[in-house]
Amino acid sequence: MELNGRKYLWDKILFAFVLLLAAFVLLGSPLFEVREIVVTGNRQLPAAKIVELSGIVPGTNIFKQNLREAQGRICPLPLVKEVVICRDFPSRIVINVRERQPLALLPTPGGFVQVDREGVCLQEGGVNDSFPVITGFPVSPLAPGEVVRDERLRATLQVVDRFPETLLKELSEVHINGQGQLVLYTLEGVECRLGNASNLEQKLALLQQILRQVRDRRIAYIDLSGVPVVKYAR
């Protein structure tokens, strides 16, 4: 019984020694030095900036990289929604970024800012950014990373997020009037009255159909708040 106990003890000591030896080899071997840092998923943020913020440096041991801390340094960027960093053995680090997507522009006292569907301010913008401007609400100055506090405006962003992308590209403005009614303006200046957000998908589908059919006609307005009406300009 005593011999079995000693053998078990020596087995544990030998196993621990092997683990320490393996750790020493892995942490000291040039094979596991970081040679490549790959950034994926980024469309708006430069890969070089993401790598710099991560703090991961080529030539350091891949096992010594604290990936959680590296993720924490990248996540505060306003344009970043999510980031995942993983090791690709033996010598590559992969940084996968999921960016926030601009949905619309908000006019603030300091100029236009881009916001996403959740009301997060991403960066400064301009009327040439190919996103519609949302009007009808007073908007306080917003810094990148801040979130819109007005619940009505945030609800409006959720509605605009339901617009087909093809239609969004044709709009210059989404206006909410004092009664909470949606009024859209196309890049050609056509006024489109949608009313409230009820039956929104059907209204938007009909609006796109009308806009395609009357593209070469001068329109005063399109009213879909009740019985559909198309008023031609004289």
Side-chain angles (χ1 to χ4, degrees):
M1 193 74 177
E2 184 178 350
L3 289 175
N4 288 337
R6 288 182 178 179
K7 184 177 183 301
Y8 179 69
L9 177 61
W10 279 108
D11 285 346
K12 289 182 66 176
I13 293 173
L14 180 61
F15 181 69
F17 175 76
V18 171
L19 284 180
L20 288 173
L21 181 62
F24 177 78
V25 172
L26 292 177
L27 293 176
S29 173
L31 178 65
F32 295 102
E33 289 181 356
V34 177
R35 292 184 175 85
E36 186 180 10
I37 304 171
V38 178
V39 179
T40 63
N42 61 309
R43 299 180 60 184
Q44 304 172 76
L45 290 167
K49 180 176 182 178
I50 294 172
V51 172
E52 180 184 357
L53 283 174
S54 75
I56 300 174
V57 181
T60 54
N61 188 276
I62 197 170
F63 292 102
K64 293 182 179 180
Q65 303 299 326
N66 190 320
L67 303 188
R68 185 181 296 274
E69 288 185 2
Q71 289 175 187
R73 288 190 286 266
I74 299 172
C75 281
L77 289 174
L79 284 171
V80 172
K81 187 176 182 66
E82 183 182 14
V83 59
V84 176
I85 305 178
C86 60
R87 298 178 178 89
D88 185 10
F89 295 109
S91 58
R92 186 166 75 156
I93 297 286
V94 179
I95 304 175
N96 182 259
V97 176
R98 182 182 171 198
E99 294 181 335
R100 293 184 178 275
Q101 300 302 316
L103 177 67
L105 296 173
L106 294 183
T108 71
F112 292 97
V113 295
Q114 295 180 1
V115 292
D116 73 347
R117 64 183 301 274
E118 296 171 351
V120 178
C121 175
L122 306 182
Q123 58 188 358
E124 293 183 358
V127 291
N128 296 322
D129 284 351
S130 301
F131 306 113
V133 179
I134 295 181
T135 61
F137 299 93
V139 181
S140 302
L142 289 170
E146 285 192 79
V147 181
V148 172
R149 295 182 178 85
D150 191 306
E151 289 300 325
R152 295 177 306 156
L153 181 50
R154 294 181 68 173
T156 300
L157 287 169
Q158 298 298 316
V159 171
V160 175
D161 187 49
R162 294 161 60 189
F163 288 15
E165 186 175 351
T166 51
L167 178 60
L168 276 175
K169 292 179 179 179
E170 296 186 52
L171 299 180
S172 63
E173 182 182 348
V174 177
H175 180 75
I176 311 297
N177 65 23
Q179 291 74 44
Q181 307 290 297
L182 283 163
V183 183
L184 315 182
Y185 294 90
T186 69
L187 295 172
E188 287 75 28
V190 177
E191 179 183 330
C192 310
R193 306 169 187 173
L194 294 188
N196 58 38
S198 63
N199 302 316
L200 183 64
E201 281 72 20
Q202 294 91 324
K203 291 177 182 178
L204 295 175
L206 179 57
L207 176 60
Q208 287 184 286
Q209 181 181 349
I210 293 173
L211 289 174
R212 284 194 299 268
Q213 292 176 348
V214 300
R215 192 170 297 276
D216 297 329
R217 304 283 299 274
R218 292 184 61 194
I219 308 278
Y221 64 83
I222 300 171
D223 192 341
L224 302 180
S225 59
V227 177
V229 174
V230 178
K231 176 68 174 179
Y232 292 96
R234 294 183 177 179

